[in-house]
Amino acid sequence: MAELSRSPELDYDVLVIGAGFAGMYALHTLRQRGYSVRVFERGSDVGGTWYWNRYPGARCDVPSLDYCYVFSESLYGSWEWTERYATQPEILDYARHVADQLDLRRDISFSTPVVAGNFDDDEHVWQLTLGDGSTVKGRFCVTAVGCLSAVNAPDLPGQDEYLGQIVHSAEWPEDGVDLGAKRVGVVGTGSSGVQLVPEMAKAADHLVVFQRTPNYSFPARNRLLSGREQWLASITYAAVAAVAQTSGAGHFIPSTGQSALAVDFDERQAAYEHAWTVGGTDILSAFNDTLLDIEANKSLSDFVATKIRQTVADPELAQRLTPHGQPVGAKRPCVDSGYYETFNAPHVELVDVRSEPLVEFTPTGLRTTQRSFELDVIVMATGFDAITGPLTRLGLVGDDGISLAQRWADGPSSYLGLAIHHYPNLFTITGPGSPSVLVNVIRAIEQHVEWIADALDHLKARGADRLEASAQAQEAWGQHVAEAAQHTVHRYADSWYLGSNVPGKPRKFLPYLGGLPGYRERCRRVAESGYEGFDVKEGLSA
């Protein structure tokens, strides 16, 4: 096998940006394959999303027994989850455990943001500029920056004059925020807001929730895992790994296997009631057409609306908390622990900023078009510039001198969500055009990392050192991604899947809705065909 060509100026074979679950697995896998790797992480420890999102109530909506690596049986068996849906502290502890087990930290530069990067087309090398102004060169660059890491903060005038404390949910201070006996405002009711609100209501003297768009949320029914559940998980690794390879979402999701329209009302309601009682997002797959057929979807959205009315005592308030004209599941579904119940508390207030828009910060709080609110702490639970934002903010420049932010000004284009024309030797883990956030993201990460490692092995065997997605392959894949979205109810709602939560962001469906097994098969065929859709150049010094 030919050696990977290396110029004297090359610092590493592979530069990885980010030390979350994607970056850690990329480091481990590529290091095992014999490549020299360096990871650059802006945080002070591993964990990525789960390092930064430490707000009260932060919890994963994928069952903990599935939200973990399955590439290694020994690693899988070395950790024991305590809850059905793990909290942020437990997930962060798991990430640290993985880093310790695999001895990853020695190859990670912490507190080291990447602020720019450019591809040298003469030498076929990526050069990254780090936060301290230093540079590092590598043959390949792998972005492992996650899909939800670029904060979306609304631009409201007067913020500098506000005398209280402002904190974004994704930048929660490590030492916490004192909410005791204070007047607190929460802006945003997406997943972060839905998890935050019940927790803040427990401490705040008065809580004002500023809602632009109501979201569907399902009860988590979280609980401690029994000893039997933990034992079964430890002895069924093979089954878990098999399901990870074959299921549409990368983990087991129960379903009746029937159409919601093929059964009578009572049977349908019984299935929904059972899933609601069990908790979590499995209710979305109780029937196989809920996310495909708008009439089937309506049966579920009507069911959830009824549950909201039954939970919220004030009928007018329940109406404002209920989504209208939006299919359930078309936006990222939320999983909560007492969200709707919280609004029955006398010290919790809901403000509809569609009918009463936010205007500005004042020195003592926030002002809408109709009134002012005195607030000691304001929490911005306004989400992220999802999927593309983490990439466009890296300052990456391609072989033609154009930055990724410029190139994607009208929306992203990518081949398989893995590679971008004019950005050779750059691989984007869970990039736009891949299943990413629509499946168990750790399964998506494992598949991407293994595909990237195989691609580098292919180049090494050929003595090649430049791999680039072709314009034609990228265009065809983009059309396929757009077409896949048109076959689901996602097309009926504005969401961060489309970029509609960020003012001025182009509207384009970002993740791939074709399911993980079909996507995995497509990637396999591309590799087995000799990397169809990629242009390969032989090494400069092979």
Side-chain angles (χ1 to χ4, degrees):
M1 179 180 290
E3 291 296 319
L4 188 72
S5 61
R6 181 191 296 232
S7 66
E9 297 80 17
L10 203 62
D11 298 304
Y12 302 95
D13 295 327
V14 188
L15 309 175
V16 177
I17 307 174
F21 286 114
M24 288 197 296
Y25 188 43
L27 169 58
H28 171 70
T29 302
L30 293 170
R31 201 167 65 181
Q32 291 289 101
R33 302 277 185 107
Y35 300 100
S36 61
V37 187
R38 194 72 192 175
V39 179
F40 303 94
E41 167 57 47
R42 66 187 174 98
S44 62
D45 202 354
V46 298
T49 292
W50 299 105
Y51 171 87
W52 296 103
N53 285 266
R54 57 178 76 94
Y55 58 84
R59 190 183 297 275
C60 188
D61 60 3
V62 174
S64 58
L65 294 175
D66 293 304
Y67 196 77
C68 50
Y69 295 116
V70 296
F71 68 86
S72 163
E73 184 173 3
S74 61
L75 182 63
Y76 183 82
S78 69
W79 182 261
E80 188 174 277
W81 295 101
T82 64
E83 297 184 52
R84 181 189 182 196
Y85 293 106
T87 61
Q88 176 269 336
E90 186 169 22
I91 298 171
L92 183 57
D93 284 345
Y94 170 70
R96 290 167 171 163
H97 167 77
V98 171
D100 292 339
Q101 290 289 302
L102 303 180
D103 187 24
L104 299 180
R105 287 188 178 84
R106 61 184 169 90
D107 290 318
I108 303 174
S109 297
F110 292 108
S111 303
T112 306
V114 172
V115 297
N118 66 281
F119 184 74
D120 186 327
D121 203 28
D122 292 329
E123 294 189 359
H124 301 178
V125 166
W126 274 97
Q127 178 174 285
L128 301 181
T129 302
L130 308 178
D132 62 1
S134 63
T135 60
V136 60
K137 288 184 177 181
R139 182 68 68 203
F140 302 96
C141 180
V142 175
T143 64
V145 291
C147 295
L148 300 173
S149 60
V151 168
N152 175 41
D155 184 18
L156 282 175
Q159 182 169 331
D160 292 342
E161 283 72 46
Y162 175 60
L163 300 176
Q165 182 178 8
I166 302 173
V167 59
H168 194 284
S169 57
E171 297 175 336
W172 203 265
E174 287 193 64
D175 55 356
V177 178
D178 180 14
L179 303 175
K182 292 186 178 180
R183 299 164 299 178
V184 180
V186 183
V187 181
T189 54
S191 293
S192 300
V194 163
Q195 291 182 333
L196 267 164
V197 164
E199 294 301 315
M200 291 192 295
K202 295 174 184 176
D205 184 61
H206 186 73
L207 178 65
V208 184
V209 181
F210 296 90
Q211 169 191 272
R212 181 180 65 175
T213 307
N215 267 317
Y216 290 103
S217 187
F218 311 119
R221 313 289 188 206
N222 190 52
R223 55 177 172 74
L224 294 176
L225 291 172
S226 69
R228 180 175 179 79
E229 287 173 306
Q230 293 169 333
W231 171 72
L232 284 173
S234 70
I235 65 170
T236 56
Y237 166 79
V240 172
V243 170
Q245 295 290 322
T246 57
S247 66
H251 64 102
F252 174 71
I253 298 178
S255 173
T256 64
Q258 297 176 292
S259 163
L261 304 177
V263 300
D264 63 28
F265 178 83
D266 290 342
E267 184 176 349
R268 187 167 58 237
Q269 292 298 104
Y272 289 151
E273 191 68 49
H274 173 74
W276 185 267
T277 302
V278 171
T281 60
D282 289 356
I283 195 170
L284 288 169
S285 58
F287 295 98
N288 59 21
D289 54 355
T290 305
L291 296 178
L292 302 176
D293 184 275
I294 195 66
E295 288 304 315
N297 187 279
K298 187 176 184 302
S299 70
L300 177 56
S301 61
D302 288 347
F303 174 85
V304 179
T306 299
K307 287 296 183 182
I308 296 173
R309 290 193 296 271
Q310 292 173 348
T311 304
V312 181
D314 182 341
E316 188 275 334
L317 182 56
Q319 176 74 1
R320 287 193 285 143
L321 286 165
T322 302
H324 299 282
Q326 170 190 315
V328 60
K331 299 178 71 169
R332 179 75 176 188
C334 302
V335 175
D336 71 87
S337 297
Y339 176 69
Y340 294 117
E341 292 86 345
T342 299
F343 290 93
N344 291 326
H347 70 298
V348 178
E349 180 179 0
L350 181 71
V351 177
D352 182 353
V353 300
R354 289 221 166 174
S355 59
E356 186 181 346
L358 281 169
V359 175
E360 63 182 355
F361 284 90
T362 68
T364 57
L366 286 169
R367 186 172 72 82
T368 69
T369 54
Q370 300 179 22
R371 49 191 166 151
S372 294
F373 296 87
E374 303 292 303
L375 302 167
D376 303 304
V377 179
I378 297 174
V379 177
M380 308 303 286
T382 49
F384 304 90
D385 181 358
I387 302 178
T388 54
L391 296 169
T392 57
R393 297 185 190 190
L394 287 174
L396 301 179
V397 176
D399 62 4
D400 59 353
I402 297 177
S403 72
L404 190 59
Q406 289 175 290
R407 193 173 303 281
W408 283 359
D410 296 323
S413 294
S414 170
Y415 184 35
L416 302 174
L418 272 164
I420 307 164
H421 183 56
H422 280 303
Y423 298 81
N425 293 2
L426 176 71
F427 298 98
T428 55
I429 299 177
T430 64
S434 73
S436 62
V437 294
L438 295 177
V439 300
N440 180 348
V441 73
I442 296 187
R443 297 295 159 269
I445 285 168
E446 288 176 321
Q447 185 266 332
H448 264 192
V449 167
E450 290 158 13
W451 190 94
I452 291 167
D454 289 344
L456 297 195
D457 287 350
H458 173 79
L459 293 180
K460 182 189 291 187
R462 286 185 54 173
D465 64 3
R466 189 183 190 278
L467 181 75
E468 179 186 3
S470 72
Q472 296 81 2
Q474 181 168 280
E475 176 65 22
W477 182 252
Q479 292 175 358
H480 176 59
V481 171
E483 181 182 352
Q486 291 304 308
H487 294 293
T488 73
V489 298
H490 289 81
R491 69 187 185 275
Y492 296 114
D494 285 336
S495 68
W496 58 258
Y497 295 148
L498 282 162
S500 59
N501 64 315
V502 179
K505 187 170 181 176
R507 301 296 185 262
K508 189 172 186 178
F509 201 81
L510 300 174
Y512 176 55
L513 268 163
L516 193 53
Y519 175 81
R520 189 190 301 273
E521 175 61 18
R522 176 62 180 267
C523 290
R524 185 191 65 78
R525 292 201 309 267
V526 167
E528 289 188 353
S529 67
Y531 292 86
E532 176 187 5
F534 287 92
D535 297 322
V536 179
K537 288 188 178 180
E538 304 304 319
L540 296 173
S541 56

